[in-house]
Amino acid sequence: MGDETVLITGASSGIGLELTRLFAAAGSDLVLVARREDRLAALADELGANDVTVRVLPADISHPTAAAAICEILTGSGVDIDILVNNAGFGSRGSVADLPVSLQTEMMQVNMRTLAELTRRLLPGMVHRGWGGILNVASTAAFQPGGPYMTVYYASKAFVLSFTEGLAEELAGTEIHVTCLAPGPVSTEFGSVAGVEDTAMFKARAMEASKVAWAGYRGLRRGKTLVVPGVRNKLTTLAVRLLPRTVIRKTIARIQK
């Protein structure tokens, strides 16, 4: 789009990586946030061919002070963020009683707290300038009545969906578009990290990251509040509204366990 700067978390792989390519191809300057500095550097070299400015900002957003530190660096560099893409997130398979406390709190920090704090810190600048955008990546898990054996992850994505829809309504009538991208299983590193790549649901329904990213990018540009890519995923979200919640919980438990 030109004359805009986009910050993308989790930019080094998966959906985040594909989103960086889409924004760069449109002429957007970029701030890339992820833990793996080597991947970010290689990506910056690739995206630079689009004649855009690419800033690399290695950061571990599971740290409680990460959002404040990122925004302090941006302010010190005189960089205004016009579009925020809260893409970073992860899950882990296991029961609440068995998964390490540290892992579960880290998941909540990345999936919810840093997302909300980055939004709060960067949104006033968008309001002041009179335009901008926020793309939050959730999941079809956000629509489910709990996700046994991935309970914290499902709950965190329900937060992202609710947070996005509420914020979108607060900003209705402005030129700041707020979009929630809610994909189902995607062919990324998420499956292996979460330990779900061997489940029947993941094997049967995983979409390509590039297609999911395009759906989210297009939805943000068109001002859509919710984007659920893929016919199967749309049908899944519809079925959740029609089936008894107990049936859905037991089905998920059987698949995840």
Side-chain angles (χ1 to χ4, degrees):
M1 297 293 288
D3 297 325
E4 70 177 18
T5 300
V6 183
L7 186 150
I8 302 176
T9 66
S12 64
S13 65
I15 298 171
L17 171 61
E18 297 300 334
L19 283 167
T20 66
R21 290 169 173 161
L22 289 170
F23 280 106
S28 306
D29 292 333
L30 295 164
V31 177
L32 309 180
V33 178
R35 288 181 298 179
R36 293 172 288 196
E37 187 172 2
D38 56 337
R39 287 200 182 186
L40 289 179
L43 181 57
D45 289 340
E46 172 195 329
L47 300 176
N50 293 277
D51 196 27
V52 298
T53 299
V54 183
R55 296 174 176 86
V56 169
L57 213 170
D60 182 356
I61 65 170
S62 68
H63 197 284
T65 63
I70 289 169
C71 293
E72 184 177 350
I73 292 171
L74 294 173
T75 300
S77 303
V79 177
D80 292 324
I81 299 301
D82 302 298
I83 295 179
L84 169 64
V85 179
N86 285 307
N87 165 74
F90 75 97
S92 190
R93 187 178 175 189
S95 69
V96 172
D98 291 335
L99 288 175
V101 172
S102 59
L103 179 63
Q104 295 186 62
T105 54
E106 181 180 346
M107 196 185 310
M108 290 186 281
Q109 179 69 47
V110 172
N111 295 5
M112 296 186 291
R113 292 186 62 184
T114 299
L115 176 149
E117 186 177 347
L118 279 174
T119 300
R120 170 59 184 84
R121 289 180 178 275
L122 296 175
L123 179 59
M126 299 179 196
V127 173
H128 177 73
R129 292 186 294 276
W131 73 284
I134 298 169
L135 175 61
N136 293 327
V137 179
S139 164
T140 52
F143 299 91
Q144 312 293 337
Y149 303 103
M150 286 190 76
T151 297
V152 172
Y153 173 76
Y154 274 58
S156 72
K157 291 305 180 180
F159 171 88
V160 175
L161 174 60
S162 181
F163 179 79
T164 306
E165 290 187 308
L167 183 59
E169 191 61 31
E170 290 180 11
L171 296 168
T174 73
E175 292 301 315
I176 302 172
H177 301 305
V178 185
T179 301
C180 180
L181 172 61
V186 185
S187 297
T188 66
E189 296 175 354
F190 175 89
S192 58
V193 172
V196 296
E197 61 182 349
D198 61 338
T199 62
M201 179 175 65
F202 198 89
K203 289 180 178 179
R205 289 174 44 197
M207 290 182 65
E208 293 298 320
S210 58
K211 293 181 179 179
V212 173
W214 171 245
Y217 177 85
R218 181 177 57 185
L220 176 67
R221 293 303 193 192
R222 293 180 175 180
K224 296 186 66 174
T225 301
L226 177 62
V227 176
V228 180
V231 174
R232 286 188 178 182
N233 294 322
K234 289 183 174 66
L235 292 175
T236 296
T237 60
L238 177 62
V240 168
R241 301 172 187 173
L242 301 176
L243 294 173
R245 294 172 71 86
T246 54
V247 171
I248 297 170
R249 288 199 303 270
K250 292 183 183 300
T251 301
I252 294 172
R254 188 162 57 250
I255 293 172
Q256 306 278 66
K257 192 174 183 180

